[in-house]
Amino acid sequence: MSNLARSYQTQPIETSAQPKPKRLREGRTSVITPGEKILLAAFAIMFCFFAVKIVSNEASIYQVNRELQVAEGVIDKQEKANTDLKIQVSELSAYDRILDKAKELGLNLKDKNVKVVEE
């Protein structure tokens, strides 16, 4: 008797019936790791800080420019007033006007006593 003549009945192995080993930790797996979350939060904080810093710098620059324009306006106004006063001085110090005022006050012109002063 040979072993070949004997037929064994094989039972089909059911792979789906076997329970799968369960994972110890079940749950959602995040695409972003905790280290990446920390880096992302640090980047967001730095971005907000620099955005606020830039806006505050621009506001201070605007304020300084505004004060500069006001000062330039005051300077222009004062220069115009100075120019007007110089013109008025030159008109009031004209020789003919001084001579007329002197005659009104009773002064007379003697050629011997006149001295020419040049600036």
Side-chain angles (χ1 to χ4, degrees):
M1 297 212 176
S2 112
N3 285 338
L4 293 176
R6 191 171 192 189
S7 115
Y8 291 102
Q9 287 184 347
T10 59
Q11 293 179 350
I13 301 173
E14 296 179 18
T15 59
S16 63
Q18 292 179 354
K20 292 183 179 178
K22 289 188 175 182
R23 292 178 130 183
L24 293 176
R25 181 178 167 211
E26 285 191 19
R28 289 186 269 166
T29 57
S30 178
V31 177
I32 301 174
T33 63
E36 290 174 339
K37 288 180 184 178
I38 291 171
L39 287 175
L40 184 63
F43 177 73
I45 290 170
M46 286 176 39
F47 179 78
C48 290
F49 173 75
F50 285 118
V52 169
K53 183 79 171 162
I54 289 171
V55 170
S56 67
N57 283 344
E58 289 295 325
S60 64
I61 289 171
Y62 173 77
Q63 183 67 26
V64 169
N65 282 339
R66 186 172 173 206
E67 291 172 2
L68 182 66
Q69 288 177 350
V70 168
E72 286 176 350
V74 169
I75 289 170
D76 288 341
K77 195 175 190 182
Q78 188 63 43
E79 285 178 350
K80 184 178 179 185
N82 289 347
T83 305
D84 291 342
L85 289 173
K86 284 180 184 178
I87 292 171
Q88 188 177 5
V89 165
S90 66
E91 288 174 355
L92 293 176
S93 64
Y95 178 75
D96 295 334
R97 183 183 174 281
I98 293 174
L99 186 62
D100 289 339
K101 282 289 185 181
K103 286 182 181 178
E104 283 178 16
L105 295 173
L107 300 174
N108 52 4
L109 180 64
K110 295 180 183 174
D111 290 332
K112 295 188 259 181
N113 296 333
V114 174
K115 295 182 182 177
V116 179
V117 179
E118 294 182 21
E119 292 183 28

